[in-house]
Structures are given as C-alpha cells and as structure tokens.
C-alpha cells in the first residue's frame, strides 16, 4: 500500500470522526438534554424546619378545660422517599410530615402528622390524575394507641407537589396542599440569593390575604366518615368560653397557611421554605376561639445547605449533557474536519508526485518539493551524471597503429638506485 492510499484512508477516517462528533453534539443539545431534565428517581431526603408558636397542651384534655401554651419551640419534619410507580415518565413521592413540640416527650408533643403520596410527571412536576386515577392518597390518621396498619385513602392531587418543574418560570403555579386537599396558586415574588445560588421566590396563601390577614379559612376536610377530627362537641367550660359551664357547644376546625418557597429555577428544587400555619376551632370561620396550633417554621441551615448541594448536583448533570459535552464534541469535530481536509490535500499531492518522472527518488525529494522540508546543502545535493567519453578513432582506420616500444626500454630505474647486483658465483 503506497503513501497516497494511506493518507487518503486517514483523511476519510478523520473526516468521518469529525462528522460523527458534530452529529453527537447536535443530539446532546436537543434530544438528550430534554430527556435528562427529569425529576430523579433516587430521592431520599429529610427536611427540617424550626420555629415557635402557640400550641394546645394535649395533657389538658383530661382536665377541666383546654390549655394553650404560648411561644413553645416547634419542629416540622418531612421525610421524602420514592415509591412505586416510578419509571421513565412518572415518579411517586411519599412524604411524611409531622409537627411537634420539642418541650414535650414522645407522642405528648405531637401536634400534626400526615402521610401524603403523589405521582408526578417527571418533566412538568405536575400531579398525574384524571377522573379514573386520583394521582395520590393520604393515610388515615390513627389514635395514639391504635396499632392497626395504616389505611390509605385515595385523594385526587392537582398541580405541583413538593417541587417545581425544571426551568421554572417567573409566573404563578398551582401548588397542592394536602391538608386543604386542593391546589392554591404559588405566585412569583422576586429573585434572591440563597447560599450563593440564585433562586426564585414564590408565595402561596391558603386562607390568608397578601397582607397576612385571615380572609377565607378552609373548613378542615376530615378523613373520617363521621368527621370526628373536623367537628368537636364539648362543654363551654371545657372550651374555656363564656356561657353556662355545662352547655354543649359544637365547634368546627379551620385551617389557613402561608408558605414561601425559594426555588432553584434550573432544576425546580425547593432549597428553602417558610411555613406559617393556623389550626383553630370556632363556631364562625372568621372568629377563632380555641387554638390548636399557630406557628411559623423555617428551614434549618443544614437543610438549606443540603438542598442547595442537591440543586447544584442536578445542575452539573444537566450542564454536562446540555453544554459541556456538546461544546467539546463540536470543537473536536471541527478540528477533525480541518485535519481530515489537510490529510486529503496531502494525499492528492502525494498521488500526483508519484505519477511524475523520477520515481527512483526517495521520500526526501517529495517533502522538499511539497515545501515541508528545507534542502540540506552538500550532503543531500543531487549528483550530476556526466556522459562517458569514448576514445577517438584514427582518421584512416586501415592504417595500423604505430608499434609500442619494448617494455624494457620504457621502464627506467628509480632514481638513486645503482646497477643491479650480479648473482652469486657457484661453488666448484
């Protein structure tokens, strides 16, 4: 295989590699990047929020009247895990949320507990539900001494839940509240920095106005058939309200909340959250009488740092497939195309050189003529070939040439040498 063929094959291979890299860059920046911008399937997070508020003392329920303690330390905990179904299109999140008093031990400090399950579209982060599929469920509350297995009650979910979509926009999104069992708008407020990460701030009002005043509280939707936890009847003395001590008074439970989310706009991860919630009993919705829990909690620094790191990891994963690899493949592909073009040019020059006279010249002659090597004087200069001179013939070929003199007469002794020595005499 001569040099021209080898260069031509190398040129074709390099050009093919460059074209393949450019095609891969195009696919990564369009098709692949859109397919990886999805909610991960390996979510396992514990989110902690702390604060203070007013809370009902559960020990007072066995006394003469209920007691509400002020300025008690509270902690809210969310445990987020992935359950089935979880595949290329959807992910199911199971989120257990509890609010407890840290100045009480065990169950005596538990104020609220709910286990919510929701199936989300991995691209849009919207709940997957219709008239035949609820898209989620809520576990039925159990008493303190109830050891029966938890019962999941199907509950239709709508809107976002526990995160925002990838490439979050500056607009309003419906965000589901599992306690109110319906979605409320989360409105874009501003852009803020959280631990070095640029985030979008959203605010959701459930029963509150934008000024933080109670405007339309939600009647608590009980998960019991008899509405046992949504309506309670007891004496006026027990309620601690004016009237005859033995008078039976029925009060309904109401709920309102105000939430602020700090969202990473690239991945939709909620990196920080503040929640103000108000649970109370009243005979009229706008006239609270007995507080069950009135508190405000905010994500701890450890939780914020963990969520920011999670958002950064997801950002890096997206950047790798949508920017870093496409840019790298494009640059290398262009270099390969240029290199292949140069090799193709050299192969043409080599092929034309091999068809010219002087095929017995070595490689140095070709590269010197191609301008790739400077001539070396002396050692590699070409040797001029001189024609061989023929002997001259006599004018008359029939005349014999003159005789050559005898060899003895043409040989002269070297200078300085005497006459030859006589041979030694024979003995008689």
């Amino acid at each position: 295989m001569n040099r021209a063929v080898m260069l031509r094959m190398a040129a074709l291979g390099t050009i093919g590699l460059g074209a393949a890299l450019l095609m891969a860059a195009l696919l990564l920046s369009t098709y692949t990047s859109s397919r990886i911008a999805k909610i991960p399937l390996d979510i396992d997070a514990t989110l902690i929020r702390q604060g203070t508020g007013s809370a009902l003392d559960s020990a007072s329920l066995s006394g003469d009247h209920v007691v509400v303690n002020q300025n008690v330390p509270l902690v809210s905990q969310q445990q987020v895990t992935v359950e089935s179904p979880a595949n290329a299109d959807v992910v199911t999140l199971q989120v257990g949320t509890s609010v407890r008093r840290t100045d009480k031990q065990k169950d005596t400090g538990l104020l609220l507990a709910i286990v919510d399950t929701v199936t989300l579209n991995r691209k849009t982060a919207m709940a997957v539900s219709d008239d035949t599929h609820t898209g989620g469920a809520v576990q039925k509350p159990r008493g303190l001494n109830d050891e029966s297995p938890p019962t999941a009650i199907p509950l239709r979910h709508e809107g976002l839940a526990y995160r925002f979509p990838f490439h979050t926009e500056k607009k309003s999104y419906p965000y589901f509240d599992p306690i109110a069992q319906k979605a409320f708008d989360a409105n874009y407020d501003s852009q803020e920095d959280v631990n070095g990460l640029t985030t979008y701030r959203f605010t959701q009002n459930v029963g509150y106005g934008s000024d933080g005043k109670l405007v339309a509280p939600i009647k608590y939707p009980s998960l019991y058939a008899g509405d046992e936890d949504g309506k309670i009847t007891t004496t006026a003395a027990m309620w601690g309200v004016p009237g005859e001590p033995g008078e039976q008074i029925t009060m309904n439970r109401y709920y309102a909340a105000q939430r602020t989310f700090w969202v990473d706009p690239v991945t939709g991860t909620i990196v920080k959250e503040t929640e103000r919630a108000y649970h109370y009993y009243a005979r009229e919705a706008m006239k609270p009488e007995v507080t069950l829990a009135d508190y405000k909690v905010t994500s701890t620094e450890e939780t914020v740092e963990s969520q920011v790191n999670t958002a950064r990891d997801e950002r890096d994963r997206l950047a790798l497939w949508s920017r870093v690899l496409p840019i790298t493949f494009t640059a290398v592909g262009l270099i390969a195309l240029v290199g292949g073009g140069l090799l193709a040019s050299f192969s043409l020059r080599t092929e034309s050189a091999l068809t010219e006279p002087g095929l017995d010249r070595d490689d140095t002659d070709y590269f010197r003529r191609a301008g790739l090597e400077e001539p070396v004087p002396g050692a590699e200069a070409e040797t001029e070939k001189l024609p061989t001179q023929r002997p001259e013939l006599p004018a008359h070929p029939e005349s014999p040439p003159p005789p050559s003199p005898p060899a003895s007469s043409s040989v002269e002794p070297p200078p300085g040498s005497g006459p030859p020595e006589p041979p030694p005499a024979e003995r008689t």
Side-chain angles (χ1 to χ4, degrees), residues 91-317:
V91 60
T92 301
L93 301 181
Q94 185 177 82
V95 183
T97 304
S98 64
V99 179
R100 65 172 58 249
R101 299 175 55 166
T102 58
D103 60 339
K104 298 285 186 179
Q105 299 296 322
K106 298 182 179 180
D107 292 334
T108 59
L110 184 63
L111 298 178
L112 302 167
I114 185 172
V115 179
D116 181 32
T117 303
V118 58
T119 300
L120 304 176
N121 183 298
R122 292 184 63 193
K123 288 186 177 180
T124 65
M126 292 286 185
V128 179
S129 63
D130 52 36
D131 294 336
T132 57
H133 300 86
T134 61
V138 177
Q139 285 189 10
K140 182 179 179 180
R142 294 178 296 172
L144 297 179
N145 298 323
D146 188 358
E147 297 182 356
S148 60
T151 302
I153 301 175
L155 177 63
R156 181 167 182 173
H157 287 60
E158 296 178 344
L160 306 177
Y162 306 108
R163 63 181 299 138
F164 281 68
F166 281 81
H167 308 297
T168 301
E169 301 178 16
K170 298 178 180 180
K171 66 177 187 180
S172 297
Y173 290 92
Y175 192 91
F176 189 77
D177 187 320
I179 297 177
Q181 299 183 10
K182 60 187 300 186
F184 296 85
D185 284 343
N187 304 306
Y188 172 79
D189 287 338
S190 61
Q191 182 173 301
E192 295 184 9
D193 182 271
V194 177
N195 287 20
L197 186 71
T198 300
T199 64
Y200 291 171
R201 173 176 168 169
F202 292 85
T203 300
Q204 181 192 47
N205 293 307
V206 181
Y208 281 112
S210 58
D211 57 356
K213 294 183 179 180
L214 197 64
V215 293
I218 307 299
K219 187 178 183 300
Y220 186 81
S222 176
L223 296 174
Y224 291 97
D227 197 19
E228 290 88 348
D229 59 345
K231 181 186 295 184
I232 296 179
T233 300
T234 188
T235 62
M238 189 66 182
W239 284 119
V241 298
E244 294 294 329
E247 180 185 359
Q248 295 292 311
I249 296 178
T250 299
M251 291 191 184
N252 293 315
R253 180 176 172 180
Y254 293 92
Y255 162 73
Q258 189 174 54
R259 297 182 180 90
T260 303
F261 307 99
W262 285 264
V263 181
D264 172 31
V266 177
T267 65
T269 303
I270 300 174
V271 300
K272 181 180 178 181
E273 182 179 352
T274 295
E275 180 183 22
R276 174 191 176 189
Y278 190 18
H279 298 258
Y280 64 90
Y281 292 98
R283 284 168 283 188
E284 297 181 23
M286 294 299 295
K287 296 181 178 179
E289 297 184 72
V290 179
T291 298
L292 175 60
D294 183 9
Y295 60 89
K296 182 178 181 180
V297 290
T298 303
S299 300
T300 63
E301 283 299 322
E302 293 78 7
T303 295
V304 173
E305 185 66 26
S306 174
Q307 290 298 94
V308 166
N309 290 336
T310 299
R312 291 188 190 278
D313 290 342
E314 291 189 30
R315 278 191 175 201
D316 292 343
R317 181 173 62 91

Side-chain angles (χ1 to χ4, degrees), residues 50-91:
Q50 292 180 340
T52 59
S54 303
L56 181 70
D57 186 355
S58 59
S60 65
L61 297 177
S62 59
D64 297 334
H65 59 86
V66 296
V67 174
V68 178
N69 302 131
Q70 306 295 323
N71 297 321
V72 297
L74 300 172
V75 59
S76 173
Q77 177 174 309
Q78 277 188 342
Q79 183 66 45
V80 186
T81 57
V82 174
E83 303 293 334
S84 181
N87 50 47
D89 300 319
V90 300
V91 60

Side-chain angles (χ1 to χ4, degrees), residues 12-29:
L12 292 177
T14 306
I15 292 174
L17 175 62
L21 289 173
L22 291 178
M23 182 64 67
L26 179 63
L27 291 176
L28 286 173
S29 61

